[in-house]
Amino acid sequence: MTPEEFRRHGHAAIDWIADYYSRLESFPVLSQVKPGEIRAALPAEPPERGEPFEDVLRDLDEVIMPGITHWQHPSFFAFFPSNTSGPAILGDLLASGLGVQGMIWATSPAATELETHVLDWFARLLGLPTAFRSDGPGGGVIQHSASDAALVAVLAALHRASGGRTEREGVAAGRFAVYTSAQTHSSVEKACRVAGLGSDALRKLSTDAEHAARPEHLRELIEADVAAGITPALVVASIGATGTGAIDPVRELAAIAHEHGAWAHVDGAWAGVAAVCPEFAWLTDGLELVDSFATNPHKWLLTNFDCDTFWVADRSALVGALSILPEYLRNAATESGAVIDYRDWHVQLGRRFRALKLWAVLRWYGAEGLREHIRGHVALAQQFASWVAADERFELLAPHRLALVTFHLRAGDDATRALMDRVNDSGQAYLTHTSVNGQFALRMAIGSPQTQARHVRAAWEALAAGAGGAA
Ligand code: PLP
């Protein structure tokens, strides 16, 4: 593709995306295809000769689109809605155009320095402790996802707990333990598996009436492990747990972790970004006591996947756990010690220039625009929760401080599941479920940049109508 051909097809692709935004509401939210239907419409053999890009765009419409669930649809209330925006897409496109591999400073100084700078900006916007900024021993980096953040937190924690021995010797079964609440995302258990600790190393903390981890239980579990000769390596607290939005008492959990020399990590994948609003500054309470913190602009801050922002208060354990310097990566800048090489801050070596899209988002919206985005969703969720609370057929199952409302039908699990299926099958809205105290619960996650009051009202009307006389 020559530059001129690229210009022509590029314009067509951008037009396609712009048109997609204008017609988004005309699609059913949830794809209606059956398993295998999309593959059956694709040729069995790859093309022998090149094809025009127009044909790719045509097949996108005809073959691919029926199999798309519209994550940006204003009535997408499942999981956590996708947070793409124009400036993020354009920033990402520019990064693709540059094709930079920013694995070490020397391979593209701007890729590293912009990322460091944007993460410092973002730390300021969220009111994070100054220890997380790059001008001291700490600093921030963009990870693919909160799951990667959890994994590197486990690895840094093991490095510290073992005095640097786990990198050479591996992890002996039954030597280290990790603690987190039953509400915490499954990515923490997966991180334990990937790190070689195994799921058995994970201790689940019991929760209180608001689904937050109980610090007394953490203390009991740690003391029992220490008595049995097991080293507490890591405590993971959640702010904004996936199922219920639970907020753990970070300050108390981190203090107990540190009494026992364990690393404290906070997973704020979804909710953490809300701290851009001063009224949600309480979300960052206690972070000055923790070792690492992650939040995903791709979950609720207008930035397309993937973009997890991850900070450490002291990067030495992270770099100690992950740094291996083969001859072919040696260079004067690295040896001077004056630069950051982000390859030492995550699992993979190569890395895309993702800071460009976050930079574009922060500059386009400014702090005011970001706050407006969060506040709009929180207000809509509060309105939705008030309708649920006022209808005696329904019951709220968790506090709803932000934009996630967890609820069910008092008539029970079967009725709640049937209601969800009815609404989802209609294509008008898409909600997913969780389990709260063993009960089947619906989650209304409001977060699409496209969602307006009328969409939330329509979803409520569909739920209320579908609930019939359930009591
Ligand atoms: N943590 C929380 C609280 C989440 O809600 C999620 C996903 O929904 C994750 C972690 C995993 O996120 P990611 O897809 O960025 O790995």
Side-chain angles (χ1 to χ4, degrees), residues 80 144-148 185 187 240-242 267 269-270 296 298-299 305 308:
F80 289 115
H144 297 304
S145 68
S147 306
D148 293 86
H185 191 266
S187 49
T242 316
D267 175 8
W270 159 64
N296 291 0
H298 73 232
K299 275 199 165 49
F305 192 83
D308 166 272

Side-chain angles (χ1 to χ4, degrees), residues 131-132 137-139 156 160 263 290-292 311-319:
F132 287 143
R160 197 160 76 184
W263 185 279
V290 314
D291 298 285
S292 55
W311 290 268
V312 280
D314 179 351
R315 55 194 187 240
S316 59
L318 184 64
V319 173

Side-chain angles (χ1 to χ4, degrees), residues 49-338:
R49 303 181 63 130
E51 298 178 57
F53 194 74
E54 286 86 349
D55 290 5
V56 176
L57 282 184
R58 185 203 58 217
D59 288 349
L60 176 62
D61 277 320
E62 292 176 6
V63 181
I64 304 299
M65 288 306 277
I68 294 293
T69 285
H70 298 278
W71 280 72
Q72 300 182 74
H73 195 291
S75 300
F76 186 106
F77 303 112
F79 308 106
F80 289 115
S82 168
N83 258 253
T84 302
S85 69
I89 296 172
L90 295 175
D92 218 16
L93 185 61
L94 294 170
S96 296
L98 287 171
V100 155
Q101 274 282 3
M103 52 208 182
I104 51 179
W105 179 89
T107 57
S108 218
T112 295
E113 293 193 16
L114 183 68
E115 184 156 330
T116 307
H117 202 73
V118 165
L119 272 276
D120 279 356
W121 270 9
F122 197 34
R124 277 176 202 275
L125 283 176
L126 297 177
L128 299 186
T130 49
F132 287 143
R133 297 201 204 141
S134 63
D135 50 6
V141 60
I142 299 179
Q143 304 277 353
H144 297 304
S145 68
S147 306
D148 293 86
L151 175 59
V152 297
V154 169
L155 298 173
L158 288 174
H159 172 90
R160 197 160 76 184
S162 69
R165 287 173 53 192
T166 45
E167 294 90 74
R168 294 188 312 278
E169 298 170 7
V171 194
R175 200 171 147 216
F176 299 102
V178 173
Y179 309 82
T180 199
S181 111
Q183 289 287 318
T184 293
H185 191 266
S186 56
S187 49
V188 174
E189 180 169 351
K190 192 184 260 191
C192 290
R193 290 190 192 179
V194 176
L197 284 168
S199 297
D200 286 353
L202 188 63
R203 315 279 188 259
K204 291 278 176 77
L205 306 175
S206 57
T207 51
D208 64 16
E210 298 203 335
H211 313 291
R214 288 176 49 244
E216 319 81 76
H217 194 211
L218 174 64
R219 189 177 290 287
E220 280 165 30
L221 289 174
I222 288 190
E223 285 174 0
D225 279 332
V226 171
I230 297 169
T231 305
L234 171 69
V235 175
V236 181
S238 297
I239 54 170
T242 316
T244 55
I247 311 281
D248 287 336
V250 169
R251 184 173 291 283
E252 286 100 313
L253 298 175
I256 298 169
H258 285 174
E259 269 176 47
H260 295 275
W263 185 279
H265 173 63
V266 174
D267 175 8
W270 159 64
V273 297
V276 292
C277 301
E279 66 271 33
F280 302 128
W282 50 266
L283 282 164
T284 60
D285 181 57
L287 286 188
E288 68 279 13
L289 297 180
V290 314
D291 298 285
S292 55
F293 171 63
T295 186
N296 291 0
H298 73 232
K299 275 199 165 49
W300 196 14
L301 209 65
L302 296 155
T303 309
N304 52 316
F305 192 83
D306 51 343
C307 186
D308 166 272
T309 45
F310 173 73
W311 290 268
V312 280
D314 179 351
R315 55 194 187 240
S316 59
L318 184 64
V319 173
L322 293 167
S323 184
I324 299 176
L325 184 59
E327 187 54 35
Y328 45 82
L329 291 178
R330 284 190 187 281
N331 67 90
T334 296
E335 263 142 48
S336 75

